[in-house]
Amino acid sequence: MSVLFSLARRFRKSRTRSGYLSFISSSSIGGIALGCAVLITALSMMNGFGDVLQHRLLRLVPQVSFEAVDGQLDDWQSLVAVAEQDPQVTAAMPSIEMTAMAQQQQQFYGMQIQGLDPQRANAVMGLSDYVDADTWQRFQQLPNSIIVGAGLAESLNLQAGDTLTLMVAKQGQQAFKAPQRQHLTVAGIFRFGGQIDHQQGYVSLATAQQLAGLGQQVSRIQLAVTDVFAAPSIARRVGNTLPEFVYIKHWMQTQGHLYRDIQLVRSVIYLVLILVMAVACFNIVSTLVMTVQEKRASIAILKTMGLKDRQVRRVFMLQGLLNGCWGTAIGIVAGAILALSLPVLLQWAEQLWGFHVLSDDVYFVSEIPSRWQWQDSLLVAVVALLMSLLATIYPAQRAAKVAPAQALHEKG
C-alpha cells in the first residue's frame, strides 16, 4: 500500500504535467475547499439562530401556558403547585394577558399588557435581563407601575417616571361599554428587539388584576421547561394532571414558524452540500482522466513490471482522494475560522459600508449569530471525501484498461 501511495503522490506532483492540467487539479482542490468552508459557515449560522430562538426569544415568550376556559382561574395556587411537581417543569407562575389602548396626549397606540409576579418572573422568564437594575427595583417597589418596550416608549415619548394612561375594558363586561382609564407610572424601558418592543408592556400581577377587574383570579399559568423542544408533550402531560379544564398552549403554536423556517433552511443546506460537492468533484474526474491520458506510457511500464489492474485503480483512486483530502482540510479550517469570526466580520462590514444585515426594529436579533460545531465539520468532511472517492472510480477504471503494448507503441 505504501508503494501505491508513493506512486499516487508522484503522479500528482509530476513536473511533466501541462499547465492546464495543474490548473484543473488546483481548481478541484479550491472548489472542494470553498464548498466546505461555505457550508460549515452556513450550518454554523443556523446553529446560531437556533440558539437565539431557544435562549433569547423563548426566555420572554411563554414556553408552555394553560389558559382558563371561562376567562379566569380561581385556585391558581394549586395549579402552580401541581405543575411544578412535573420533573421537566423548572418553574411556574400566574399571569394575566390583556389588550389595552395607551394614550399619551393626542396619541393612541394598541398594546399587549402582561401581568406577572415579580418574585416568580425571573425563574420563568428573563424580563430582568433586558432592563437595568434600577428599573427592576422600581417595578417591584412602585405600585401601579409599568415597564414598556423601547419602540413603544419612543413612539409615545416616554421616560422613566412619566405617567402613562391606559384604557382597559374590564373582563367579563358587556360589549360596547366604555373602557376605564387607568394611570400608571413608567418604571422603566426594556429593549428586546423586534415587534415586542413596539407592542408589549409589563405590570405586576396585582396591578393587572385591578386593571382587568379579576380580584384574586388570573387568566393563565405560565411554565418554564427543561427542554423547550419537548414543550408540546410536556404541555399535554401536565395539562392532563390539572384539576381544572384549561386551554393548552405552547411556543410551537405561537413561534413555531421560526423553528420550522430554521429547520427548512438547514435541510436545504444539506441538499446544497451534496450538490456543491458533486460539482466540485467533477474537476477531480477531469484531472484524473487527463492524467491517465498523459501517463499511459508510465502505466504501461508499471504493468510490465508486474503492477496488477486493481493496483493501478488504487493508485489513481488515491491520487484523486489526495486532492479531496487537501481541499477538505483547507475548507474545514477556513470554515471553522470564518464561522467563529462571522459576527465580528459582519459588524465590521456594517460599520464600514453603513448598512444593517438585520434590523432590530423588525427582528428580535440585530446581528448574525454563529455557533460552530465539530459535528457539522465532520459531516461536511465525510461527504466531501466520499464524493471525492466516487469521482475517482471512472478515471481509475480507464487507467486499469490501458494496454501496455499499445501504449508503448503510441509512445514510440
Side-chain angles (χ1 to χ4, degrees):
M1 198 65 187
S2 61
V3 174
L4 300 181
F5 184 74
S6 178
L7 288 172
R9 291 184 60 190
R10 289 177 65 88
F11 281 167
R12 182 175 175 272
K13 295 182 177 181
S14 176
R15 296 183 179 180
T16 61
R17 293 198 306 179
S18 64
Y20 180 71
L21 182 56
S22 298
F23 173 76
I24 294 296
S25 179
S26 301
S27 298
S28 66
I29 296 175
I32 295 174
L34 181 61
C36 290
V38 171
L39 291 170
I40 290 174
T41 304
L43 290 173
S44 299
M45 287 174 54
M46 292 302 101
N47 294 336
F49 279 112
D51 286 347
V52 170
L53 174 67
Q54 180 177 356
H55 301 295
R56 180 176 171 86
L57 180 62
L58 295 183
R59 285 281 290 156
L60 208 59
V61 173
Q63 298 174 11
V64 174
S65 62
F66 303 112
E67 298 186 1
V69 174
D70 57 355
Q72 59 273 340
L73 297 171
D74 298 322
D75 189 15
W76 59 265
Q77 293 88 346
S78 63
L79 301 183
V80 169
V82 171
E84 288 182 336
Q85 291 178 0
D86 190 278
Q88 289 187 282
V89 175
T90 59
M93 75 171 187
S95 67
I96 297 174
E97 187 80 16
M98 69 186 80
T99 302
M101 183 72 71
Q103 178 184 0
Q104 185 73 352
Q105 297 179 356
Q106 300 301 318
Q107 295 179 309
F108 294 88
Y109 284 88
M111 62 182 298
Q112 294 292 322
I113 301 295
Q114 182 177 352
L116 49 86
D117 185 355
Q119 305 301 324
R120 296 173 176 261
N122 282 333
V124 178
M125 57 186 299
L127 178 60
S128 60
D129 297 337
Y130 304 100
V131 298
D132 54 49
D134 293 337
T135 296
W136 190 249
Q137 185 177 5
R138 286 193 296 267
F139 179 65
Q140 292 178 299
Q141 295 177 351
L142 289 177
N144 296 329
S145 60
I146 184 173
I147 299 176
V148 297
L152 189 62
E154 183 178 354
S155 300
L156 295 174
N157 194 23
L158 291 174
Q159 296 179 354
D162 292 346
T163 300
L164 176 64
T165 301
L166 292 182
M167 291 185 292
V168 183
K170 300 288 185 180
Q171 293 191 13
Q173 287 184 342
Q174 296 180 354
F176 305 112
K177 189 172 183 179
Q180 296 184 357
R181 280 183 168 83
Q182 303 286 341
H183 301 286
L184 303 179
T185 302
V186 178
I189 297 168
F190 76 91
R191 186 178 300 275
F192 178 79
Q195 294 301 309
I196 292 180
D197 285 357
H198 295 267
Q199 62 185 20
Q200 189 70 45
Y202 295 94
V203 299
S204 66
L205 186 63
T207 301
Q209 289 172 333
Q210 178 184 353
L211 292 175
L214 293 179
Q216 298 299 314
Q217 301 169 329
V218 300
S219 60
R220 70 178 181 182
I221 301 297
Q222 188 172 320
L223 310 182
V225 297
T226 56
D227 183 6
V228 295
F229 299 108
S233 60
I234 297 174
R236 289 191 297 269
R237 184 177 65 249
V238 176
N240 291 332
T241 63
L242 297 180
E244 293 189 27
F245 291 106
V246 293
Y247 292 119
I248 300 175
K249 294 187 177 181
H250 49 80
W251 71 271
M252 283 286 191
Q253 297 171 334
T254 58
Q255 307 294 331
H257 62 282
L258 296 175
Y259 176 70
R260 289 189 292 270
D261 290 345
I262 293 173
Q263 297 305 311
L264 176 61
V265 173
R266 185 184 294 275
S267 300
V268 172
I269 290 174
Y270 288 141
L271 177 61
V272 172
L273 165 63
I274 298 176
L275 297 178
V276 169
M277 291 305 168
V279 172
C281 289
F282 277 131
N283 284 335
I284 294 180
V285 178
S286 302
T287 301
L288 292 181
V289 169
M290 295 176 67
T291 302
V292 170
Q293 189 64 30
E294 190 178 77
K295 300 294 184 182
R296 286 173 60 86
S298 299
I299 296 171
I301 293 173
L302 290 172
K303 280 192 170 185
T304 59
M305 293 174 65
L307 202 66
K308 298 180 180 179
D309 289 349
R310 68 174 183 272
Q311 293 174 318
V312 174
R313 283 193 294 268
R314 290 175 184 175
V315 167
F316 284 90
M317 291 179 72
L318 285 173
Q319 181 183 347
L321 194 58
L322 281 174
N323 284 354
C325 289
W326 275 105
T328 301
I330 296 172
I332 294 298
V333 174
I337 294 174
L338 185 59
L340 293 172
S341 59
L342 184 63
V344 177
L345 292 176
L346 288 177
Q347 286 182 0
W348 176 80
E350 289 178 351
Q351 295 175 359
L352 182 62
W353 287 296
F355 73 97
H356 293 283
V357 178
L358 295 177
S359 175
D360 56 4
D361 290 337
V362 180
Y363 305 99
F364 59 90
V365 58
S366 59
E367 61 183 24
I368 298 293
S370 178
R371 179 170 64 87
W372 174 80
Q373 285 185 320
W374 66 268
Q375 295 92 333
D376 293 331
S377 296
L378 179 62
L379 174 64
V380 172
V382 169
V383 173
L385 293 176
L386 181 61
M387 297 296 289
S388 300
L389 183 62
L390 292 176
T392 65
I393 295 177
Y394 171 71
Q397 291 287 358
R398 288 194 55 177
K401 292 180 181 180
V402 172
Q406 182 181 357
L408 292 174
H409 176 72
E410 292 174 355
K411 182 68 174 178

